[in-house]
Amino acid sequence: MQVFAHDGEVGFEGIWTAITAARGFSPLLLKPPKDATHWVRYTTGGTAALGLNQTLTGNTSGKKCTLVAQIVEQGTAGSGDSGILFVQGADGAFQAETVTSASTGTVAILQDFLPILTYSPPKAALISIETAAIKFSLSGILPTATSGANYIHHMDAGQSYVIRGYNNIRKFNCINAVASNGAIVKYSLFF
């Protein structure tokens, strides 16, 4: 039995799919914007891209907030994308609903926005492989698929790994071990 032993609180969690090019943690996850007070994961971005510093309005709740930053983790902004939103100034509780920006961009959120716990760098990251194998590195070297140069470490579906130390987290990169194998990586950042 493996036990993840680390003092700290989970600040952000996410998922990466379609890892056909090396992927790592967004700098916004490692150092959240100081003017952001809350965050949430979103899916099904559509119609148009959300506009930074624009008002987001909940289509069901009618609540409003300002979009401070956006991390697109899958897809292209405004075209079926998903990822994380950072906001400020929410005037009440949102719910599982579609939110729309002034630029007519829309995304779906599954819950109210969560408070950002800290603006300090993460101390550890837990990554787990849900589907298909990956290659990963911690030094900043870009990992390559097995059929290429076969860099560096290999993880199979069902395995997990704890990355300790800010610079190791910052330099982490992963790619699917076999081109277009459908690898799915999930992560939790501990602060």
Side-chain angles (χ1 to χ4, degrees):
M1 179 170 88
Q2 292 182 339
V3 176
F4 176 62
H6 176 72
D7 293 328
E9 300 289 329
V10 173
F12 304 108
E13 293 182 300
I15 180 173
W16 297 323
T17 63
I19 312 169
T20 56
R23 305 267 316 255
F25 293 105
S26 166
L28 291 171
L29 289 174
L30 304 180
K31 188 175 181 184
K34 292 284 186 191
D35 50 348
T37 58
H38 291 76
W39 73 283
V40 75
R41 293 205 52 82
Y42 74 90
T43 61
T44 61
T47 311
L50 298 178
L52 292 181
N53 300 312
Q54 291 185 353
T55 298
L56 297 180
T57 304
N59 292 2
T60 303
S61 68
K63 300 303 179 188
K64 298 181 185 301
C65 63
T66 301
L67 180 63
V68 173
Q70 177 180 10
I71 301 169
V72 177
E73 291 188 324
Q74 274 76 238
T76 302
S79 181
D81 55 306
S82 64
I84 294 176
L85 303 177
F86 290 97
V87 302
Q88 69 174 350
D91 65 0
F94 285 74
Q95 55 189 291
E97 61 185 317
T98 299
V99 296
T100 304
S101 72
S103 63
T104 69
T106 62
V107 298
I109 59 174
L110 300 177
Q111 66 184 79
D112 190 12
F113 290 89
L114 300 166
I116 294 175
L117 299 177
T118 182
Y119 297 92
S120 300
K123 299 174 186 170
L126 170 64
I127 60 168
S128 61
I129 313 307
E130 184 171 295
T131 304
I134 66 164
K135 297 288 185 178
F136 75 96
S137 71
L138 301 172
S139 67
I141 190 170
L142 294 178
T144 60
T146 304
S147 64
N150 195 19
Y151 286 145
I152 184 115
H153 299 289
H154 182 93
M155 283 181 64
D156 288 315
Q159 292 183 313
S160 62
Y161 185 81
V162 176
I163 305 166
R164 295 188 187 274
Y166 172 73
N167 281 319
N168 292 329
I169 296 166
R170 182 180 60 80
K171 294 185 285 184
F172 171 83
N173 279 290
C174 66
I175 193 168
N176 41 242
V178 176
S180 303
N181 69 359
I184 297 175
V185 175
K186 295 186 175 178
Y187 66 83
S188 297
L189 288 171
F190 288 76
F191 293 82

